[in-house]
Amino acid sequence: MTIETQEETPRIKEPLRRVGITNLRSVAKINWKGRIYTFLPLFEITIDLPAEKKGIHMSRLVESVTEAMSEAVEEEVKEAHTSLEELGRAIIRRLEGKHPHRRAEVWIRTHLIIPRETPASGKVSYEPYDVEVGVIKENKSLEKVLRVKVIGNTVCPHAMANNEGKTHIQRAVAELEVRTAFEENVALEDMIEVVESSFSSPTYTLLKTVDENAVVRRMFENPKFVEDVAREIFSKARERFKGKIHVRVISNESIHKHDVIAETWS
Amino acid sequence: MTIETQEETPRIKEPLRRVGITNLRSVAKINWKGRIYTFLPLFEITIDLPAEKKGIHMSRLVESVTEAMSEAVEEEVKEAHTSLEELGRAIIRRLEGKHPHRRAEVWIRTHLIIPRETPASGKVSYEPYDVEVGVIKENKSLEKVLRVKVIGNTVCPHAMANNEGKTHIQRAVAELEVRTAFEENVALEDMIEVVESSFSSPTYTLLKTVDENAVVRRMFENPKFVEDVAREIFSKARERFKGKIHVRVISNESIHKHDVIAETWS
Amino acid sequence: MTIETQEETPRIKEPLRRVGITNLRSVAKINWKGRIYTFLPLFEITIDLPAEKKGIHMSRLVESVTEAMSEAVEEEVKEAHTSLEELGRAIIRRLEGKHPHRRAEVWIRTHLIIPRETPASGKVSYEPYDVEVGVIKENKSLEKVLRVKVIGNTVCPHAMANNEGKTHIQRAVAELEVRTAFEENVALEDMIEVVESSFSSPTYTLLKTVDENAVVRRMFENPKFVEDVAREIFSKARERFKGKIHVRVISNESIHKHDVIAETWS
Amino acid sequence: MTIETQEETPRIKEPLRRVGITNLRSVAKINWKGRIYTFLPLFEITIDLPAEKKGIHMSRLVESVTEAMSEAVEEEVKEAHTSLEELGRAIIRRLEGKHPHRRAEVWIRTHLIIPRETPASGKVSYEPYDVEVGVIKENKSLEKVLRVKVIGNTVCPHAMANNEGKTHIQRAVAELEVRTAFEENVALEDMIEVVESSFSSPTYTLLKTVDENAVVRRMFENPKFVEDVAREIFSKARERFKGKIHVRVISNESIHKHDVIAETWS
């Protein structure tokens, strides 16, 4: 007979807010607007632990992921989860029948690959983005956190003004987070669009010479400090999305060995 | 004549909370209780940017670090900064004369190497810890954030109860953060001690066979879930340090490919 | 009219062995034994550059990836590439028509998720593995490099012998590389099996209590130094696969803050 | 009485090339041209293991590091090790008396901070570099491997030629490795100088506006492909240092999300 150590009374009676599994790599299938996408995300799933229980039953958290996955596999295309946050909610629902808790969180981190059109030759370029989705259930209320990380560039307006149009340019990385009610309609693709359009220029995986020329010219017409990029993302995001907004831009300076940063939040 | 683009009015008039430099590697010398320690930390230094200015003058932030450093070099041993947070404050003071701002932050991330005595042979073992110190000045008030990251282990009490004393054991990593007023007396060494004493056993860089035996026996006498470790750190830290406490423990399970996590905060 | 700077004579006439693109994230679909798997790999693609040309045409390397991908998309399920190395070869073939070179390399790094049966309850557990495949064409000859990285554990036989069966246990990570002719039949799944069976025990994502007990008992019956794990992988791999073998095992010691390593190659 | 499991005959009698400890963080003091520098390096120390022994005695490797360190501490300034490779050799010497072996390796990875003069204002700027030193003893012969990693930039000559002087610029990172006899006189500082002078421009931690202007102008006068940077480093290194040379340059393209790479070796 199994001893349920987790159910014992702990020596230190202190409730814990987040207990669970993290860095769990698995497969996820999402039916996004009628087309199936496959991801290999990293999952983190936690629940709270009351003061009087020694531990949680970790394997039930893993089962919630596995069952939510095979649900998607079994009922195939038309029944698959329609977004990463729907998948997060499906895992929390599975968890509800398995393990008592007051608060549950599911975090899913993956890459999105989105086709774009190159600026001059009109070719298709597949662009990668890092995204993370969190679903947080506390009592009855359901909240979600959406994060995107986009690679772009900054072109220094100060150097440009002081060197007859010559300046320094560099890769920059911007992160946008929206924290909002689960029902709010916020698409990761729209968040990516908000960020990508706020750099000196978007970047592309494929650029033929005519496209490269178009990007270079756009950069020089559109010099921006890291501060300008952060402000533009923040202002567009606040206009477009309901909820709490957080923006963080890091520019990998080409004239320094360190980075510069601009960050703000609502 | 130089054009000061940073002083122009930005197109989007939005204040930013944190603008500055990050991932800057430099040297720091600290006079800790009369002995000089040298570090090669990573620095992040930010100030706020008001809505009506386009940018900050980044080089003044770098100068504040450099000058605070050479201050220490010039006045040598007895006048060097007496802790990482004193160094943070010295950088903020330098910054005050150089660049207007309402809020400033300095973050310093480095390793501490502390000598320990091994449990049985009594040899000296040098133990490494990751630490981070933040100093935040807002208007006149000065706050500090101290973080330590310590490597230890967990020994599963559930497996032990169900397998006649046999169990699984693994490396675990715990982080403790204390956020408090600058004047509060909180030593990183004491925070490390709180964390290290809360695992199933502390770990050592050097272990002769008799020491290894002592550690193994201590681990089996002291089985702990990741939840137990988190609770013990949290409870000791709250008793010992004034301020806001955050604890996060991650156990690199030896029977799984993923990790387990326990986290809480005051 | 476009100036082809890449075709100019460089100031320093020195041939380069590897020039190309790296850290390119994209989608790949593989038809593995009749079932389609989707990956989001990182690609590196390089060719050599002769002494008398200033540069390579980078965008043609990107096009080779993109076209090899859409080939798979267009002809759908039955025509998709049947392994990661077949995809690598398809990219090199595309490249041959696009850019002169003597030597070409394609490297593809991704995760494999493989279903396993848990040792006692017989449930399905999805296990993640890091894999990398390289295809190298030099003149007419085609070589491949296959790498797998597997998470397992070590159980110290020395501590066990000196502490009446008590010991320290920890997560360990082993890498196996096979470098061989392209035609050799070496499956990543078989390489993973060789590595996973060489630890004190395999690990599982899902473990109910009966499974956990089975893993714990197996670990105690099977104590192994990191040296033993390396030897077993090396000896099995040499027996099973033709080609050059490289093994590297790192054990994240639970009694130390550092790791131990055992490595060898043929 | 202690059982020496390491001395037993292993089940699989296979010699191993590299067995030891890795990711060990410690302190090192170096007397470089009469001035003491303190580092917090990561160490890897390995020896070979003959076919008929089950394991090595790991703690003796740790002791070799610890004793070589305290040697430096005790005899103070004038007797401290005069370079990282001298420290590596001192560790190997300690090891010789402690543990039989045929081959031994010591690897030391740290940061160097070097003062530079800014190009126009003549201020002092402290520049960080990643360095790694390996010392390899096989039978009686002693070899060393020196590695430096330097941050600089590339300015695209192709875009410049096609856009009336406008172009894209980005941070680039170059690594140079020299593998040579221990007695060869190769300074890490000279290797850094070779790499840093081969970019479109060196970078600086501190840049006042006049310095920034100087760097920007230098970049535009000195456009370089990643291929040009690799060739220049390779050609200078071969002229200046005896031994085997390896060069690898990665440019974090500002117009792409991926990187470009150029690599060659002698």
Side-chain angles (χ1 to χ4, degrees):
Chain A
M1 220 205 64
T2 297
I3 298 163
E4 295 270 26
T5 319
Q6 295 88 344
E7 300 295 328
E8 292 170 7
T9 306
R11 194 170 58 75
I12 299 168
K13 284 187 208 67
E14 184 71 57
L16 294 175
R17 295 172 190 259
R18 301 180 79 252
V19 179
I21 56 178
T22 189
N23 297 322
L24 172 70
R25 175 82 57 190
S26 200
V27 188
K29 282 175 191 295
I30 301 294
N31 180 349
W32 175 242
K33 297 184 179 166
R35 227 187 123 183
I36 299 294
Y37 294 86
T38 305
F39 301 97
L40 298 167
L42 272 180
F43 288 88
E44 177 171 300
I45 301 161
T46 64
I47 55 176
D48 63 305
L49 176 64
E52 65 279 359
K53 297 274 186 187
K54 187 171 169 71
I56 74 158
H57 300 272
M58 297 280 179
S59 72
R60 301 187 195 167
L61 275 57
V62 177
E63 285 177 314
S64 300
V65 179
T66 315
E67 293 178 13
M69 297 313 179
S70 44
E71 187 176 87
V73 170
E74 281 157 23
E75 311 193 3
E76 285 302 330
V77 176
K78 69 182 189 302
E79 303 290 337
H81 311 292
T82 57
S83 68
L84 291 168
E85 54 266 40
E86 282 295 346
L87 172 60
R89 177 156 72 171
I91 293 171
I92 289 183
R93 278 188 186 147
R94 289 276 167 184
L95 197 48
E96 270 157 25
K98 284 183 189 296
H99 201 309
H101 61 269
R102 212 183 52 80
R103 176 189 168 100
E105 298 184 24
V106 174
W107 292 86
I108 305 172
R109 212 160 77 214
T110 189
H111 311 286
L112 277 193
I113 311 285
I114 301 181
R116 301 281 184 208
E117 196 175 289
T118 59
S121 68
K123 294 196 169 227
V124 178
S125 176
Y126 292 91
E127 300 304 317
Y129 305 95
D130 290 346
V131 298
E132 186 172 25
V133 168
V135 181
I136 302 164
K137 200 187 128 271
E138 186 135 23
N139 299 321
K140 299 285 158 199
S141 106
L142 208 62
E143 196 185 34
K144 71 183 169 189
V145 181
L146 304 171
R147 291 180 185 144
V148 302
K149 193 169 175 176
V150 179
I151 294 174
N153 45 53
T154 53
V155 175
C156 181
H158 179 239
M160 189 179 271
N162 285 291
N163 292 283
E164 293 145 30
K166 293 187 182 65
T167 184
H168 61 92
I169 298 172
Q170 47 269 317
R171 184 183 287 177
V173 182
E175 294 171 65
L176 169 61
E177 177 189 294
V178 178
R179 184 177 288 259
T180 193
F182 189 84
E183 313 76 48
E184 277 303 321
N185 196 4
V186 181
L188 292 169
E189 286 81 348
D190 294 341
M191 290 174 60
I192 288 170
E193 202 275 319
V194 157
V195 177
E196 193 145 47
S197 63
S198 301
F199 290 112
S200 285
S201 166
T203 64
Y204 301 87
T205 296
L206 177 63
L207 287 175
K208 300 307 291 178
T209 298
V210 287
D211 300 309
E212 188 180 349
N213 295 346
V215 169
V216 166
R217 283 161 197 192
R218 185 178 150 78
M219 290 199 297
F220 275 83
E221 285 159 10
N222 206 18
K224 283 187 177 182
F225 284 140
V226 71
E227 293 95 322
D228 294 314
V229 177
R231 278 166 162 154
E232 187 159 334
I233 296 171
F234 189 64
S235 130
K236 285 178 184 168
R238 245 186 351 189
E239 202 163 292
R240 196 141 160 198
F241 311 121
K242 265 191 207 147
K244 229 175 127 8
I245 309 288
H246 192 125
V247 174
R248 181 182 158 98
V249 188
I250 288 185
S251 180
N252 305 139
E253 297 296 285
S254 62
I255 59 170
H256 298 301
K257 294 183 185 69
H258 61 264
D259 302 320
V260 303
I261 183 173
E263 190 174 8
T264 202
W265 53 88
S266 62
Chain B
M1 218 204 65
T2 297
I3 298 162
E4 295 271 28
T5 319
Q6 295 88 342
E7 301 294 329
E8 292 171 7
T9 306
R11 194 171 57 77
I12 300 168
K13 285 189 208 64
E14 184 71 57
L16 294 174
R17 294 173 190 260
R18 303 180 78 251
V19 179
I21 57 178
T22 189
N23 296 322
L24 173 71
R25 176 81 56 190
S26 200
V27 189
K29 282 177 190 294
I30 301 295
N31 180 348
W32 175 242
K33 298 183 179 166
R35 227 187 121 183
I36 298 294
Y37 293 86
T38 305
F39 301 97
L40 298 166
L42 271 180
F43 288 88
E44 177 172 300
I45 301 162
T46 63
I47 55 176
D48 63 305
L49 177 63
E52 63 280 359
K53 297 272 187 189
K54 187 171 169 71
I56 73 159
H57 300 272
M58 297 279 179
S59 70
R60 301 187 194 167
L61 276 57
V62 177
E63 285 176 314
S64 301
V65 180
T66 315
E67 292 180 12
M69 297 314 179
S70 43
E71 188 177 87
V73 169
E74 281 158 20
E75 311 191 3
E76 284 301 332
V77 177
K78 70 181 187 304
E79 303 290 336
H81 311 292
T82 59
S83 68
L84 291 168
E85 54 266 38
E86 283 295 347
L87 172 59
R89 179 158 69 171
I91 294 171
I92 288 183
R93 277 187 186 145
R94 288 277 167 183
L95 196 49
E96 271 158 23
K98 283 182 189 299
H99 201 308
H101 61 270
R102 211 182 53 81
R103 177 191 170 97
E105 298 185 22
V106 174
W107 292 86
I108 306 172
R109 212 160 77 213
T110 189
H111 310 286
L112 277 193
I113 312 286
I114 301 181
R116 302 280 184 209
E117 197 176 289
T118 59
S121 68
K123 295 195 169 226
V124 178
S125 177
Y126 292 91
E127 300 304 318
Y129 305 95
D130 290 346
V131 299
E132 186 171 25
V133 168
V135 181
I136 302 164
K137 198 185 131 272
E138 185 136 22
N139 299 321
K140 298 284 157 201
S141 107
L142 208 61
E143 196 186 34
K144 70 183 168 189
V145 181
L146 304 171
R147 291 180 185 143
V148 302
K149 193 169 174 175
V150 179
I151 293 174
N153 44 52
T154 54
V155 176
C156 181
H158 179 239
M160 190 179 270
N162 285 292
N163 292 283
E164 294 145 29
K166 293 185 181 69
T167 185
H168 60 92
I169 298 172
Q170 46 270 317
R171 183 183 289 178
V173 182
E175 294 170 65
L176 169 61
E177 176 189 295
V178 178
R179 183 178 288 259
T180 193
F182 189 85
E183 313 76 49
E184 277 303 321
N185 195 4
V186 181
L188 292 170
E189 286 81 348
D190 294 341
M191 290 175 60
I192 288 170
E193 203 274 321
V194 157
V195 177
E196 194 147 45
S197 62
S198 301
F199 289 112
S200 285
S201 167
T203 64
Y204 300 88
T205 295
L206 177 63
L207 287 175
K208 301 305 293 178
T209 297
V210 288
D211 300 310
E212 188 179 349
N213 296 346
V215 169
V216 166
R217 282 160 199 193
R218 184 177 151 79
M219 289 199 298
F220 276 84
E221 285 158 11
N222 205 21
K224 282 186 177 183
F225 283 139
V226 71
E227 293 95 324
D228 294 315
V229 177
R231 277 167 162 154
E232 188 159 334
I233 296 170
F234 189 63
S235 132
K236 285 179 184 169
R238 247 187 348 191
E239 202 164 291
R240 195 141 162 197
F241 311 120
K242 264 190 208 150
K244 229 176 127 8
I245 310 287
H246 192 125
V247 175
R248 181 183 158 97
V249 188
I250 287 185
S251 179
N252 305 139
E253 297 296 285
S254 62
I255 59 170
H256 297 302
K257 294 182 185 71
H258 60 263
D259 302 320
V260 302
I261 183 173
E263 189 173 8
T264 203
W265 54 88
S266 62
Chain C
M1 221 206 64
T2 296
I3 298 163
E4 296 271 28
T5 319
Q6 295 88 343
E7 301 294 328
E8 293 170 6
T9 306
R11 192 170 59 77
I12 300 168
K13 284 188 210 67
E14 184 71 57
L16 294 174
R17 294 173 189 260
R18 301 179 78 252
V19 180
I21 57 178
T22 189
N23 298 322
L24 172 70
R25 174 82 58 189
S26 200
V27 189
K29 283 176 191 294
I30 301 295
N31 180 349
W32 175 243
K33 297 182 179 167
R35 228 187 121 182
I36 299 294
Y37 294 86
T38 305
F39 301 96
L40 298 166
L42 272 180
F43 288 88
E44 177 170 299
I45 300 161
T46 64
I47 55 177
D48 64 305
L49 176 64
E52 64 280 359
K53 297 273 186 188
K54 186 171 169 71
I56 74 159
H57 300 271
M58 297 279 180
S59 71
R60 301 187 195 167
L61 276 56
V62 178
E63 284 176 315
S64 301
V65 180
T66 315
E67 293 178 12
M69 297 313 179
S70 44
E71 188 176 86
V73 169
E74 281 157 22
E75 311 192 4
E76 286 301 330
V77 176
K78 69 181 189 304
E79 303 290 336
H81 312 291
T82 58
S83 68
L84 290 168
E85 54 266 40
E86 282 295 346
L87 172 60
R89 177 157 70 171
I91 292 170
I92 288 183
R93 277 187 185 147
R94 289 277 167 184
L95 197 48
E96 271 157 25
K98 286 183 187 296
H99 200 308
H101 61 269
R102 213 183 51 81
R103 177 191 169 99
E105 298 184 23
V106 174
W107 292 86
I108 306 172
R109 212 160 77 212
T110 188
H111 311 286
L112 277 193
I113 312 285
I114 301 181
R116 301 281 184 208
E117 197 176 288
T118 59
S121 68
K123 294 196 170 225
V124 178
S125 177
Y126 292 91
E127 300 305 317
Y129 305 95
D130 290 347
V131 299
E132 185 170 27
V133 168
V135 181
I136 301 163
K137 201 187 127 272
E138 186 136 22
N139 298 319
K140 299 285 158 199
S141 107
L142 207 61
E143 196 186 33
K144 70 183 169 189
V145 181
L146 304 170
R147 292 180 185 144
V148 302
K149 193 170 176 175
V150 179
I151 294 174
N153 45 54
T154 53
V155 175
C156 181
H158 179 240
M160 189 178 271
N162 285 291
N163 293 282
E164 293 144 32
K166 292 186 182 67
T167 184
H168 61 92
I169 297 172
Q170 47 270 317
R171 184 182 288 177
V173 182
E175 293 170 66
L176 169 62
E177 177 188 294
V178 178
R179 183 178 290 258
T180 193
F182 189 85
E183 314 74 50
E184 277 303 322
N185 196 4
V186 182
L188 292 170
E189 287 80 349
D190 294 340
M191 290 175 60
I192 288 170
E193 203 274 320
V194 157
V195 178
E196 192 146 46
S197 63
S198 301
F199 290 112
S200 285
S201 167
T203 64
Y204 300 87
T205 295
L206 177 63
L207 286 175
K208 301 307 293 180
T209 297
V210 288
D211 300 310
E212 188 180 349
N213 296 345
V215 170
V216 165
R217 282 161 198 194
R218 186 178 149 77
M219 289 198 299
F220 276 83
E221 285 158 12
N222 205 21
K224 282 187 177 182
F225 283 139
V226 71
E227 292 95 323
D228 294 314
V229 178
R231 278 167 162 154
E232 188 159 334
I233 297 170
F234 189 64
S235 131
K236 285 179 184 168
R238 245 186 350 189
E239 201 162 293
R240 197 141 159 196
F241 311 121
K242 266 191 207 146
K244 230 177 127 8
I245 309 287
H246 192 124
V247 175
R248 182 181 157 97
V249 188
I250 288 186
S251 180
N252 305 139
E253 297 296 285
S254 62
I255 60 170
H256 297 302
K257 293 183 186 69
H258 60 264
D259 301 319
V260 303
I261 183 173
E263 190 174 9
T264 203
W265 55 88
S266 61
Chain D
M1 219 204 64
T2 296
I3 298 163
E4 296 270 26
T5 319
Q6 294 89 343
E7 301 294 329
E8 293 171 7
T9 306
R11 192 171 58 77
I12 300 168
K13 283 187 210 68
E14 183 71 58
L16 294 174
R17 295 174 189 260
R18 303 180 78 252
V19 179
I21 57 178
T22 189
N23 297 322
L24 173 71
R25 174 81 58 190
S26 201
V27 189
K29 282 176 191 295
I30 301 296
N31 180 349
W32 175 242
K33 298 182 180 167
R35 226 186 123 183
I36 298 295
Y37 294 85
T38 305
F39 300 97
L40 298 167
L42 271 179
F43 288 88
E44 178 171 301
I45 300 161
T46 64
I47 55 177
D48 64 305
L49 177 64
E52 62 280 0
K53 297 272 185 188
K54 188 171 168 71
I56 73 158
H57 300 271
M58 297 280 178
S59 71
R60 302 186 194 167
L61 275 57
V62 177
E63 284 176 315
S64 302
V65 180
T66 315
E67 293 178 11
M69 297 313 179
S70 43
E71 187 175 86
V73 170
E74 281 157 22
E75 312 192 3
E76 285 301 332
V77 176
K78 69 180 187 306
E79 303 290 338
H81 311 293
T82 58
S83 68
L84 290 168
E85 53 266 38
E86 283 295 348
L87 171 60
R89 178 157 70 171
I91 293 171
I92 287 182
R93 278 186 184 148
R94 289 277 167 184
L95 197 48
E96 270 157 26
K98 285 182 188 298
H99 200 309
H101 62 268
R102 212 182 52 80
R103 177 191 169 96
E105 298 185 23
V106 174
W107 292 86
I108 306 172
R109 212 159 76 213
T110 189
H111 311 285
L112 277 193
I113 312 285
I114 301 181
R116 301 281 184 208
E117 195 176 290
T118 60
S121 68
K123 295 196 168 223
V124 178
S125 177
Y126 292 91
E127 299 305 318
Y129 305 94
D130 291 346
V131 299
E132 186 171 25
V133 168
V135 181
I136 301 164
K137 198 186 129 274
E138 186 136 21
N139 299 320
K140 300 284 157 200
S141 108
L142 207 62
E143 196 186 34
K144 69 184 170 189
V145 181
L146 304 171
R147 291 180 185 144
V148 302
K149 194 169 173 176
V150 179
I151 294 174
N153 44 53
T154 54
V155 175
C156 181
H158 179 239
M160 188 178 270
N162 285 291
N163 292 282
E164 294 144 31
K166 294 186 180 67
T167 185
H168 60 92
I169 298 172
Q170 47 269 317
R171 184 183 288 178
V173 182
E175 294 170 65
L176 169 62
E177 177 189 293
V178 178
R179 183 178 289 259
T180 194
F182 189 84
E183 314 75 49
E184 278 303 321
N185 195 4
V186 181
L188 292 170
E189 287 80 349
D190 293 341
M191 289 174 61
I192 288 170
E193 203 273 321
V194 157
V195 178
E196 193 147 46
S197 63
S198 301
F199 290 112
S200 284
S201 167
T203 64
Y204 300 88
T205 295
L206 177 64
L207 286 175
K208 301 306 293 179
T209 297
V210 288
D211 301 309
E212 188 180 350
N213 295 346
V215 170
V216 166
R217 281 159 200 195
R218 185 177 149 78
M219 289 198 298
F220 276 83
E221 285 159 11
N222 205 22
K224 282 187 177 182
F225 284 138
V226 71
E227 293 94 325
D228 295 315
V229 177
R231 278 167 162 153
E232 188 159 335
I233 297 170
F234 189 64
S235 131
K236 286 179 183 167
R238 245 185 351 189
E239 201 163 293
R240 196 141 161 197
F241 311 120
K242 265 191 207 147
K244 230 177 125 12
I245 310 287
H246 192 125
V247 174
R248 181 181 157 98
V249 188
I250 287 185
S251 179
N252 305 138
E253 297 295 285
S254 62
I255 60 170
H256 297 303
K257 295 183 185 71
H258 59 264
D259 301 320
V260 303
I261 183 173
E263 190 174 8
T264 203
W265 54 89
S266 62

